Amino acid sequence: MLKSQDFQTLKSLRLALHQHPELSGQEKHTSETILNFLNSYSPSEVLTNLGGYGLAAIWEGSEDGPTVLIRAELDALPIQESNSFAHRSTKKDVSHKCGHDGHMAILCGLAMQFQASPLSKGRMVLLFQPAEETGQGAKAVIADEKFRNINPDFAFALHNLPKHDMGTVYCKNGSFCAASTGLKIVYQGKTAHASQPETGNNPAVAAAQLVHCLERIIETNDFTKKTLITLTHAQIGEKSFGVSAGRAETWLTLRAFEKHDFDLLLTLVTREAELIGKRYGLDVSLSHHESFEVTENDYQSVEMVKKAALNLAIRYVEMTEPNPWSEDFGCYLQNCQGAIFGLGSGHETPDLHNPDYDFPDELIEQGVRMFWQLLNDITST
Ligand SMILES: [Zn+2]
Ligand SMILES: [Zn+2]
């Protein structure tokens, strides 16, 4: 196993990543920093510019065996850090508030571990994925032709979980994270003089009806689990007392924990939005943004996560409900087996995306041990 000085090296890397965060799709410097680090640990092959600034480094065992992909995320968030510690973000309005800096450090620990004691069989692929926060990254990586060289048999990832017991592994079979999508609904009518609104078509009443019907959709239909519609933004007309509004824009985020619930929710909201627009003679346009699929763990992989935790004497908790947030890791699981698990980051750690959040470095060792055990269990059978 790695020594304490190795974990010091990983911690220094994590702090450096934290100081220099980059937004989704702009992770050029982060990707270069990781590549420089990994090059010291002799990967067999490196793929760069995967679906953006994505990076995959591959290590081959001495014999053929399964390919196991482990994923971390490169991106930070458009949030101003409120912490004053020495490693605070050097960029205004950008910071690592989801712990992706810590997840990257964990994967770098696997590169160190491989060099110290290579796997005898199979392939280890460390994937540093861009643009997770916008739901674009995993799809772009998979669509990239270079990803065909990887073709994983198994894919694993973890996410730290604030307000959960420090170092405990949390997992569940089936859906682990919610599906969600941003839905922008635009009603286009016709502007008019405010004194003669009847000569135009003001979409305000239609927009109000749309907002009003959302509650009914959530309450009256038979969803198997909780579903959620959140109004995130709305605009009707322009800031002018002289002009009757001609355009209304409503932004919603739809969320569900099961795929069939999500599909039903999307169908119902779309149908209602179109019906209302039509009733008022408006042009209706709908567009989807930042869409995330349900993240579905498979049973066998969850059993492997559980076994790895037990072997390492790490506490394991079977989750009863999926996480309410969304994650794009599920895209990899549509083509191979695998699972994402949670690693408790303690009750003192602020929630994900809070301005005072910071990844607890003590989790780096726990993450490296879990993934390394999984890699060994899978490739040795
Ligand atoms: Zn996040
Ligand atoms: Zn995250």
Side-chain angles (χ1 to χ4, degrees):
M1 202 53 211
L2 300 181
K3 299 186 188 74
S4 71
Q5 74 202 53
D6 297 320
F7 288 108
Q8 274 309 319
T9 305
L10 293 170
K11 182 178 171 182
S12 304
L13 172 71
R14 205 284 291 177
L15 301 184
L17 292 168
H18 191 92
Q19 279 186 294
H20 303 285
E22 289 171 302
L23 292 174
S24 309
Q26 301 173 23
E27 313 91 338
K28 188 170 187 289
H29 172 82
T30 307
S31 191
E32 285 166 2
T33 305
I34 298 290
L35 181 58
N36 283 338
F37 186 95
L38 295 179
N39 274 337
S40 309
Y41 298 95
S42 325
S44 322
E45 192 184 350
V46 172
L47 306 172
T48 55
N49 297 321
L50 261 179
Y53 290 113
L55 170 70
I58 303 168
W59 284 261
E60 307 262 2
S62 37
E63 286 175 50
D64 281 352
T67 295
V68 185
L69 178 151
I70 315 274
R71 188 214 64 171
E73 318 88 325
L74 290 163
D75 55 342
L77 287 152
I79 297 172
Q80 173 66 38
E81 172 140 50
S82 63
N83 298 315
S84 55
F85 45 53
H87 66 277
R88 67 185 175 272
S89 168
T90 57
K91 273 195 197 154
K92 191 178 178 317
D93 297 332
V94 185
S95 54
H96 273 293
K97 292 296 157 199
C98 210
H100 297 176
D101 47 351
H103 302 167
M104 286 187 268
I106 289 170
L107 263 63
C108 287
L110 295 170
M112 297 170 105
Q113 183 65 56
F114 194 98
Q115 199 182 49
S117 54
L119 295 171
S120 52
K121 279 193 204 168
R123 289 202 305 166
M124 171 177 89
V125 180
L126 303 183
L127 172 65
F128 297 82
Q129 182 207 298
E132 189 283 323
E133 294 287 356
T134 56
Q136 309 285 315
K139 287 181 205 121
V141 165
I142 292 165
D144 192 314
E145 258 186 38
K146 297 187 281 292
F147 189 74
R148 286 191 211 145
N149 297 343
I150 298 176
N151 192 23
D153 299 296
F154 290 90
F156 289 93
L158 67 76
H159 208 291
N160 75 96
L161 300 177
K163 311 300 176 215
H164 287 66
D165 298 343
M166 182 66 90
T168 294
V169 169
Y170 294 83
C171 199
K172 75 181 279 296
N173 186 29
S175 75
F176 182 83
C177 295
S180 71
T181 188
L183 186 63
K184 193 198 282 187
I185 301 155
V186 177
Y187 286 152
Q188 185 66 53
K190 191 179 163 194
T191 58
H193 195 285
S195 68
Q196 294 174 302
E198 69 280 6
T199 66
N201 188 2
N202 189 325
V205 175
Q209 276 194 13
L210 173 66
V211 172
H212 199 66
C213 82
L214 300 175
E215 221 165 301
R216 182 166 47 80
I217 289 178
I218 290 289
E219 281 170 4
T220 57
N221 287 288
D222 215 14
F223 296 108
T224 54
K225 289 233 171 75
K226 189 183 162 193
T227 56
L228 198 61
I229 307 173
T230 309
L231 176 73
T232 61
H233 173 77
Q235 187 179 356
I236 299 173
E238 300 303 326
K239 287 179 178 167
S240 161
F241 289 110
V243 182
S244 172
R247 187 177 187 275
E249 194 170 304
T250 310
W251 292 28
L252 306 172
T253 299
L254 313 189
R255 204 174 286 277
F257 295 111
E258 302 290 341
K259 193 182 177 321
H260 53 266
D261 280 351
F262 186 70
D263 292 344
L264 177 63
L265 183 65
L266 190 56
T267 305
L268 292 172
V269 175
T270 302
R271 196 167 66 197
E272 202 67 29
E274 283 171 346
L275 274 173
I276 293 171
K278 221 167 148 190
R279 196 179 305 144
Y280 288 91
L282 300 159
D283 284 338
V284 183
S285 66
L286 287 103
S287 52
H288 295 198
H289 304 266
E290 303 191 1
S291 303
F292 294 85
E293 317 269 335
V294 171
T295 304
E296 290 258 339
N297 287 339
D298 83 83
Y299 175 77
Q300 200 195 344
S301 301
V302 172
E303 287 299 302
M304 288 193 272
V305 169
K306 192 179 193 172
K307 187 176 146 218
L310 291 175
N311 274 336
L312 295 167
I314 294 173
R315 191 168 154 250
Y316 176 88
V317 172
E318 189 87 28
M319 295 157 60
T320 50
E321 292 296 327
N323 292 296
W325 34 270
S326 301
E327 164 62 67
D328 72 358
F329 181 71
C331 295
Y332 303 101
L333 302 184
Q334 290 175 357
N335 300 309
C336 71
Q337 283 187 274
I340 179 169
F341 58 92
L343 202 49
S345 43
H347 295 271
E348 301 301 310
T349 299
D351 274 311
L352 300 173
H353 296 203
N354 279 8
D356 53 345
Y357 171 88
D358 188 38
F359 182 85
D361 290 301
E362 59 198 285
L363 282 185
I364 295 176
E365 181 169 356
Q366 198 86 321
V368 174
R369 290 172 74 214
M370 269 303 291
F371 282 138
W372 190 245
Q373 183 73 42
L374 275 167
L375 279 158
N376 276 283
D377 289 349
I378 293 169
T379 57
S380 64
T381 48

